[in-house]
Amino acid sequence: MDQRPVASIFVVCAAFAMLAACGSGGGSGGALPPTVGGGFVNGPTSGPAPTGSPSGVASTSPSPGSTPTPGPGNTSTPAPGGSASPGPTAAPTAAPTGYYAQGLVRDIASGLPIAGAVVVLAPQVYAGSTPPPSLSSGSETTTASDGSFTLTALVPGSNYLEVFQNGYATIHKPIAVNQLDIQLGTLKLTAVTADEAAWLQQVNADRAQYGAPIVVLDEILQEGAQHWDNYMAAKGYFADDCSQTADPGCTTAAQYEQTAGAQYTHSAQNIAATGPNSTWANAEAGFVAESANCPQPPTYSTCLGHSTAQHFLNLIDPQYVWIGLAEIKNGASYNPVYGPLLDYYTQEFGTPFQ
């Protein structure tokens, strides 16, 4: 069960917004408006993964790609009355030697192959959104027109698999190189929408204002955020975990991410529900507005321990380098007082497991 505490806030603006966040620390509720609760941070991911496999996530199932086969031989046409003799046959493609890995990269929505993506498997993690300029060890390659790739000369032991492509979230996933032939299966990337790109830009502007480094979109966190946003919008549910529902099919964002193979030393979540005609900017503004609950001028260190600033603390926490963002319009309302439909927003934060 996800142990991260949750925080919530009610913001009144041109369109009202109910926001909830989960981040470091705990907190207590208050009167509306606004109501602010606590937040949470996870420790290292551990324990058995939940049963079931999330749809459209990086998979470790055997690769559906084909095994290289010898090229067709050329046959000559026999002369009248003569017999055919086989022509020269192309030499078979040599199989990779040493430790190697193969897989496919596809778009998570369309299923189409992604050509030209950079795939890296190396002992160190490159936490950014662009490929490393050089590798001190490990392997790097580019996907072919059918999305396939082969990585050779791998380093045995703990590695990070990373897949980079412009316009998509980046895969960062721990992989153990413990056998010669590693079949990574189909790795799926989520295209970044214009709203998500603008939201990410604002998140990093808010973080920069308080001295925190930028965060980049991580594929598994992106899928985890979308998973939880989908659940809240479909069920008319508003909480950071499944503790407020008897639904046996409920799985949290953190559980989804663990099933997908993620490992984080720290993680956190901010969630929000807003009224009609609002945007992610209303949710983001609500998180930042909690800085008023801290000793002034607010900083990460001065806000620590203030449960009524948990969303803000998650947002500017300098330890986070990865994020997932999701928004859903016109989801089912969790409270009829707020109308029949609400928009839902989720932020997932993570720190690499080194």
Side-chain angles (χ1 to χ4, degrees), residues 5 18 70 77 86 92-93 121 143 191 195 225 241 249 264 269 302 305 312 336:
M18 290 76 66
T77 304
T93 302
L121 192 56
T143 56
D195 268 5
D241 59 22
Y264 306 116
Q269 179 192 78
T302 61
F312 177 66

Side-chain angles (χ1 to χ4, degrees), residues 77 80 97 133 203 214 299 316:
T77 304
T97 58
V203 165
I214 67 167
T299 66
I316 68 166

Side-chain angles (χ1 to χ4, degrees), residues 30-326:
L32 295 177
T35 300
V36 182
F40 63 76
V41 166
N42 267 358
T45 304
S46 61
T51 57
S53 176
S55 172
V57 300
S59 168
T60 55
S61 58
S63 169
S66 57
T67 302
T69 56
N74 297 319
T75 56
S76 58
T77 304
S83 59
S85 59
T89 302
T93 302
T97 58
Y99 290 88
Y100 69 95
Q102 295 175 316
L104 299 169
V105 178
R106 295 185 179 273
D107 184 286
I108 196 170
S110 68
L112 294 174
I114 298 176
V118 176
V119 185
V120 175
L121 192 56
Q124 59 271 57
V125 59
Y126 298 91
S129 60
T130 57
S134 62
L135 287 178
S136 57
S137 61
S139 180
E140 177 179 324
T141 191
T142 302
T143 56
S145 59
D146 63 353
S148 64
F149 65 88
T150 298
L151 293 158
T152 58
L154 302 181
V155 179
S158 298
N159 282 250
Y160 250 95
L161 171 69
E162 301 187 88
V163 183
F164 306 87
Q165 176 69 334
N166 289 337
Y168 287 86
T170 302
I171 290 177
H172 310 93
K173 182 178 180 180
I175 293 289
V177 176
N178 52 15
Q179 61 188 56
L180 291 178
D181 174 7
I182 299 174
Q183 297 301 318
L184 296 170
T186 300
L187 310 175
K188 299 182 181 180
L189 296 183
T190 300
V192 181
T193 68
D195 268 5
E196 289 163 352
W199 192 2
L200 177 65
Q201 185 176 19
Q202 186 60 54
V203 165
N204 282 325
D206 291 336
R207 287 174 62 83
Q209 183 177 351
Y210 296 97
I214 67 167
V215 287
V216 301
L217 290 173
D218 171 74
E219 177 64 29
I220 296 179
L221 289 175
Q222 190 76 356
E223 291 181 26
Q226 193 65 59
H227 164 79
W228 194 240
D229 235 33
N230 288 342
Y231 185 84
M232 291 192 297
K235 301 292 186 179
Y237 181 76
F238 191 57
D240 72 310
D241 59 22
C242 300
S243 62
Q244 306 302 309
T245 178
D247 179 12
C250 179
T251 55
T252 66
Q255 288 172 324
Y256 181 102
E257 293 152 12
Q258 184 181 357
T259 300
Q263 294 184 34
Y264 306 116
T265 56
H266 298 87
S267 65
Q269 179 192 78
N270 286 344
I271 58 175
T274 70
N277 304 315
S278 59
T279 69
W280 58 263
N282 298 109
E284 184 74 8
F287 300 153
V288 174
E290 291 183 350
S291 62
N293 299 328
C294 304
Q296 300 298 305
T299 66
Y300 180 76
S301 59
T302 61
C303 284
L304 279 175
H306 289 264
S307 61
T308 54
Q310 194 56 63
H311 304 79
F312 177 66
L313 277 167
N314 291 340
L315 183 63
I316 68 166
D317 192 328
Q319 70 185 333
Y320 296 127
V321 296
W322 295 333
I323 194 172
L325 299 170

